Amino acid sequence: MPSGDRVHCRAGATQLEVDRYWEQSIARAQPNGAPAYVEVELGINDAVWHTSAQLVDYERRIRQFLSWLPAGVPVLWDNIPAMAPVASPGADTNYRVVNAALAAVATTNPALHIVDLRASFAGHWPAWFQADRLHYNAKGQYEFALVNCNALRALQDPSSPDRSPC
């Protein structure tokens, strides 16, 4: 997408502005048809910066995000790995809220495929995280890429010459 076409979302934006940002960004990213797949890692910042009460509508928010994509496009959505301790004492509860919302949507939307980072990263905190306790270090980034690559490969036709190696 040319830089002049980018949609910006300012710090402190309202939820409506954030929604508009994503809807417009997705629409502009696919001018020549539907993508082969979409990979999403949204939710971690929401779990850290919002309360559980603010996340009660997360299932609706996931469905809304998915509605902006072309029908039938596979969506690989990373759930949130166990990350502890974090600045907010309720954050792990919030991760579970976001992950439960993802699981609920996946039961009714066959295009949504959950990439299970929580299971893959279990027992690897803090070893796979940077000092900020939120972002992955080099080892975590490698494992993140490997888990996502394997999830994508599981969706692809085994006989396809474009099958991604991991």
Side-chain angles (χ1 to χ4, degrees), residues 14 17-18 32 41 98 121 150 162:
T14 66
E17 290 169 323
V18 171
N32 299 319
E41 188 194 15
V98 171
F121 277 61
N150 285 329
D162 296 327

Side-chain angles (χ1 to χ4, degrees), residues 50-72:
H50 295 294
T51 66
S52 295
Q54 292 171 313
L55 297 173
V56 294
D57 72 337
Y58 217 78
E59 185 177 330
R60 180 197 59 77
R61 292 170 65 188
I62 294 167
R63 290 182 193 286
Q64 181 178 30
F65 184 91
L66 294 173
S67 77
W68 298 327
L69 299 170

Side-chain angles (χ1 to χ4, degrees), residues 97-129:
V97 169
V98 171
N99 287 348
L102 276 170
V105 173
T107 63
T108 60
N109 187 327
L112 180 60
H113 305 273
I114 298 172
V115 179
D116 194 2
L117 291 180
R118 193 159 185 99
S120 299
F121 277 61
H124 297 287
W125 191 94
W128 291 359
F129 292 86

Side-chain angles (χ1 to χ4, degrees), residues 40 81 161:
V40 180

Side-chain angles (χ1 to χ4, degrees), residues 9 13-23 64 68:
C9 190
T14 66
Q15 187 60 54
L16 182 61
E17 290 169 323
V18 171
D19 290 349
R20 191 174 304 122
Y21 164 81
W22 281 111
E23 185 175 17
Q64 181 178 30
W68 298 327

